[in-house]
């Protein structure tokens, strides 16, 4: 039986490998059919070769620092509430608010990442890059050929698909839903009213058809994922990862 500590240790191997630019170790963290969806809304990278190309495009050229605020575990999933600091090769520095969900599986007796879903706003990141002066403009100019060279035209277009999201309207709809809508945890169980009582919400991030939100309350804290329907702002699910010290 895997414990929360086991899952957290497995997940921590990812930023550890990124910090020392250990490509082989980082890629080996993923299951054979593992998926990287970064950002959510863009075309996912599935399987070892695609994940290697993702590393070569977005991790290898940069220095990346994970500033982790909180971790939450439910079942075989871990959610991290964090900001990601990326120092690009030109010296441009980006600070991107983020929620990352890691779904894990047992494979050959080891914990492996079956899916990484990084919830952050690509449009906001591009805005930071453009406002970073000449360093940002040069970094952006370098990223385009790297993206096309590693992933082809289709991959570049797939990445830019991350610009499509529910946006400000989705964030507003999420705020309304959080006032009274029932919520479940990652196992489909109803979330205790004690966890939700008096909770406040911040850090609304719209990625694809999902809005992720940091939740604060007397119980502790958490992250909520509101999944919207493909063509409307009707909520398909509201899932909470939270500490629960009072129940």
């Amino acid at each position: 039986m895997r414990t929360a500590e086991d899952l957290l240790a497995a997940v921590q191997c990812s930023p550890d490998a990124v910090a020392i630019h250990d490509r082989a170790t980082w890629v080996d963290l993923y299951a054979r059919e593992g998926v990287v969806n970064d950002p959510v809304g863009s075309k996912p990278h599935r399987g070892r070769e695609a994940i290697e190309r993702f590393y070569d495009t977005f991790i290898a050229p940069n220095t990346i620092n994970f500033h982790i605020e909180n971790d939450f575990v439910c079942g075989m999933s871990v959610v991290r509430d964090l900001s990601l600091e990326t120092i690009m090769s030109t010296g441009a520095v980006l600070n991107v608010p983020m929620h990352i969900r890691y779904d894990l599986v047992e494979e050959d007796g080891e914990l492996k990442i079956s899916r990484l879903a990084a919830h952050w706003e690509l449009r906001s990141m591009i805005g930071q890059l453009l406002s970073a002066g000449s360093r940002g403009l040069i970094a952006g100019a370098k990223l385009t050929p790297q993206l096309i060279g590693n992933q082809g035209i289709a991959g570049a277009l797939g990445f830019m698909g991350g610009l499509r999201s529910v946006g400000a309207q989705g964030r507003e709809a999420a705020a309304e839903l959080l006032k009274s809508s029932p919520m479940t945890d990652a196992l489909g169980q109803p979330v205790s009213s004690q966890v939700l009582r008096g909770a406040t919400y911040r850090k609304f991030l719209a990625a694809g058809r999902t809005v992720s939100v940091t939740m604060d309350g007397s119980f502790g804290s958490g992250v909520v994922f509101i999944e919207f329907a493909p063509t409307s702002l009707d909520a398909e699910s509201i899932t909470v990862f939270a500490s629960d010290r009072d129940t």
Side-chain angles (χ1 to χ4, degrees), residues 4-246:
E5 289 73 21
D6 293 334
L7 271 66
L8 289 169
V11 163
Q12 183 56 37
C13 290
S14 179
D16 288 348
V18 168
I20 60 174
H21 283 86
D22 188 338
R23 179 182 188 264
T25 294
W26 189 81
V27 174
D28 284 343
L29 296 174
Y30 287 85
R32 283 184 286 273
E33 294 300 318
V35 175
V36 173
N37 194 188
D38 188 353
V40 168
S42 65
K43 182 180 178 181
H45 306 264
R46 184 182 300 276
R48 186 178 183 89
E49 290 186 6
I51 292 172
E52 287 175 337
R53 291 194 295 270
F54 174 88
Y55 181 97
D56 293 339
T57 306
F58 299 108
I59 299 176
N62 304 313
T63 298
I64 300 174
N65 299 310
F66 291 70
H67 300 290
I68 298 163
E69 183 176 339
N70 273 307
D71 288 324
F72 308 98
V73 181
C74 184
M76 290 289 284
S77 298
V78 176
V79 168
R80 304 202 105 159
D81 187 352
L82 72 155
S83 63
L84 200 72
E85 177 187 56
T86 301
I87 305 171
M88 306 190 78
S89 60
T90 62
V93 179
L94 307 176
N95 288 285
V96 179
M98 191 175 297
H99 300 116
I100 302 179
R101 176 172 174 168
Y102 299 85
D103 296 323
L104 295 106
V105 294
E106 288 267 6
E107 190 172 272
D108 301 326
E110 296 183 289
L111 281 173
K112 298 288 186 178
I113 301 168
S114 62
R115 179 173 180 260
L116 178 152
H119 295 258
W120 56 277
E121 297 187 352
L122 179 57
R123 193 176 301 276
S124 175
M125 186 275 283
I126 292 173
Q128 284 192 47
L129 199 59
L130 294 175
S131 66
S134 59
R135 289 180 176 182
L137 293 174
I138 295 169
K142 292 176 69 174
L143 177 60
T144 300
Q146 287 172 352
L147 185 57
I148 294 173
N150 288 322
Q151 302 186 37
I153 296 294
L157 292 174
F159 173 71
M160 296 309 292
L163 289 170
R164 295 189 296 272
S165 78
V166 292
Q169 287 185 321
R171 290 192 292 271
E172 292 172 4
E176 288 300 312
L177 288 164
L178 290 170
K179 293 178 181 178
S180 58
S181 299
M183 306 183 195
T184 60
D185 64 19
L187 301 177
Q189 300 299 312
V191 176
S192 164
S193 60
Q194 287 181 276
V195 170
L196 301 176
R197 187 178 298 121
T200 59
Y201 302 96
R202 59 184 172 85
K203 192 176 171 182
F204 287 68
L205 303 176
R209 303 300 301 174
T210 307
V211 173
S212 59
V213 187
T214 296
M215 179 172 67
D216 299 309
S218 58
F219 66 91
S221 55
V223 174
V224 186
F225 297 95
I226 300 97
E227 302 276 353
F228 290 101
T231 58
S232 74
L233 291 179
D234 295 329
E236 292 192 330
S237 65
I238 304 177
T239 306
V240 180
F241 285 77
S243 56
D244 191 359
R245 292 197 288 263
D246 293 337

